[in-house]
Amino acid sequence: MQPRPSTFSIAARDPETGAVGVAVQSKFVGVGAVVPFVSADAGAIATQSFANVAYGPDGLDLLREGKSAEEVVRELVGADPEAESRQVGVVGQDGSVAAFTGEECFEYAGDLQGEEYTVQGNILENRDTLEAMAEAFEGTEGGLPERLIAALYAGNEAGGDKRGEQSAALYVAKEGGGYDGKNDRWIDVRVDDHESPIDELERVFKVYDVTLLEREEPAELTELSGETAEAVTATLADLGFYGGEPTGEFGEAERDALEDFRGMNNFENHELPVLEDALARGWDDAEDEGEEKMVDAIWHGLSRLERK
């Protein structure tokens, strides 16, 4: 028999943007290669617990045919002789949701549905894991990716996997949301083997967000000045982008250093004044040091702007 990863996941749809996605954490290497299947023209599917990966493409095809999530789950498990070992959650682009937890899934195993989302897990410490995920998803402000990551954190803190942590993934599709608008793969980040995979998933997502995703233009811009300007310049100096003495002034030389930082990190989605504005607004909220603090500050500063 194949290994059964202890896994919890959430599949959901954002009714405002039509984005659909799956977030998952597991005591299993490379869970992003097994559990999440999403397509902007169909919906989102999470297949786990002795996972039948055919549930992904087959289920998405059924959703494209106009089947509801409940009908998709019924057809998938009805045709599978080992269905009682499986677990699957489905959210359709029509907003329908359904899930199945087989009687042979290792305890604790279960699922829970809400408006346009479903959470499911197996080999969990408790049912509280699922309830916390649902509560966090419903109560978190922000876009679909932030709400999905919040659900993972909440599930882990409430109990999570009995066997611990290893990998995590976030996969979200939106029509035209992929690189250069050429496909629907809007967000696709994964952590295959890490002692704190959800923390690392959030860090990688922030880099991905700042680098690849576009935001609405800000109505007004703030320039760096004072202590924040000095701290940003000192960080740019530590990173080798600035050779002068950091001060509270952020002038031409400092902006040249920030421009070099922008180019080195492929942040071309955001004009230099927008990055400066983001740093000014997000610096105090950012954690870590060095380049990671720069990225975190930019992410926090951009977060007030709607993603395109």
Side-chain angles (χ1 to χ4, degrees):
M1 179 176 289
Q2 300 174 24
R4 302 188 188 198
S6 49
T7 304
F8 55 88
S9 68
I10 175 168
R13 178 180 182 272
D14 180 354
E16 294 185 6
T17 65
V20 288
V22 173
V24 57
Q25 196 281 150
S26 183
K27 181 64 177 74
F28 188 78
V29 69
V31 71
V34 177
V35 170
F37 293 84
V38 298
S39 180
D41 66 350
I45 295 175
T47 174
Q48 56 200 49
S49 179
F50 191 27
N52 183 343
V53 294
Y55 281 9
D58 291 351
L60 292 175
D61 283 344
L62 291 170
L63 288 171
R64 291 188 189 97
E65 292 174 8
K67 301 290 180 67
S68 69
E70 184 175 17
E71 291 171 321
V72 169
V73 168
R74 188 182 306 121
E75 289 200 28
L76 291 175
V77 302
D80 185 354
E82 297 181 278
E84 294 303 331
S85 298
R86 320 283 197 196
Q87 191 170 46
V88 62
V90 179
V91 175
Q93 190 53 268
D94 62 355
S96 62
V97 297
F100 172 81
T101 298
E103 293 183 359
E104 296 176 15
C105 292
F106 291 170
E107 293 291 342
Y108 175 79
D111 55 78
L112 178 64
Q113 289 72 53
E115 187 174 352
E116 303 204 29
Y117 75 87
T118 175
V119 296
Q120 43 281 321
N122 59 87
I123 321 183
L124 301 179
E125 286 284 354
N126 48 44
R127 183 172 175 81
D128 294 346
T129 298
L130 302 179
E131 293 174 350
M133 292 176 71
E135 183 177 347
F137 182 76
E138 292 182 7
T140 298
E141 298 292 331
L144 183 60
E146 284 88 353
R147 298 174 69 198
L148 292 173
I149 291 173
L152 291 187
Y153 270 121
N156 204 43
E157 291 169 3
D161 294 344
K162 283 184 179 179
R163 299 193 300 178
E165 305 173 61
Q166 187 171 5
S167 67
L170 174 66
Y171 190 8
V172 185
K174 186 175 74 168
E175 185 177 0
Y179 184 74
D180 199 28
K182 297 298 193 295
N183 61 26
D184 69 1
R185 189 183 298 176
W186 191 39
I187 299 167
D188 186 1
V189 291
R190 44 187 278 193
V191 175
D192 287 345
D193 187 23
H194 196 278
E195 61 182 11
S196 301
I198 301 174
D199 289 340
E200 181 65 2
L201 184 73
E202 183 180 37
R203 186 193 70 80
V204 175
F205 162 67
K206 287 180 177 179
V207 177
Y208 184 103
D209 189 5
V210 171
T211 308
L212 294 175
L213 304 187
E214 297 183 358
R215 301 266 184 169
E216 299 292 340
E217 292 296 320
E220 52 186 52
L221 296 169
T222 301
E223 294 184 350
L224 282 163
S225 62
E227 293 181 1
T228 303
E230 186 173 359
V232 170
T233 305
T235 301
L236 289 169
D238 290 341
L239 295 172
F241 294 100
Y242 183 77
E245 184 69 26
T247 70
E249 299 293 326
F250 205 80
E252 183 177 351
E254 289 80 7
R255 290 191 175 92
D256 286 345
L258 182 57
E259 174 63 23
D260 289 343
F261 174 83
R262 184 176 80 110
M264 180 67 71
N265 287 277
N266 302 302
F267 293 162
E268 286 85 358
N269 268 354
H270 311 287
E271 298 295 332
L272 185 64
V274 175
L275 283 191
E276 182 177 347
D277 171 79
L279 286 166
R281 296 175 185 271
W283 190 259
D284 290 341
D285 294 323
E287 300 178 353
D288 300 314
E289 296 179 355
E291 185 171 301
E292 290 190 0
K293 185 174 180 70
M294 292 284 289
V295 174
D296 201 35
I298 292 168
W299 186 84
H300 278 286
L302 292 173
S303 291
R304 78 187 194 284
L305 306 173
E306 293 290 331
R307 294 188 183 95
K308 293 183 180 180

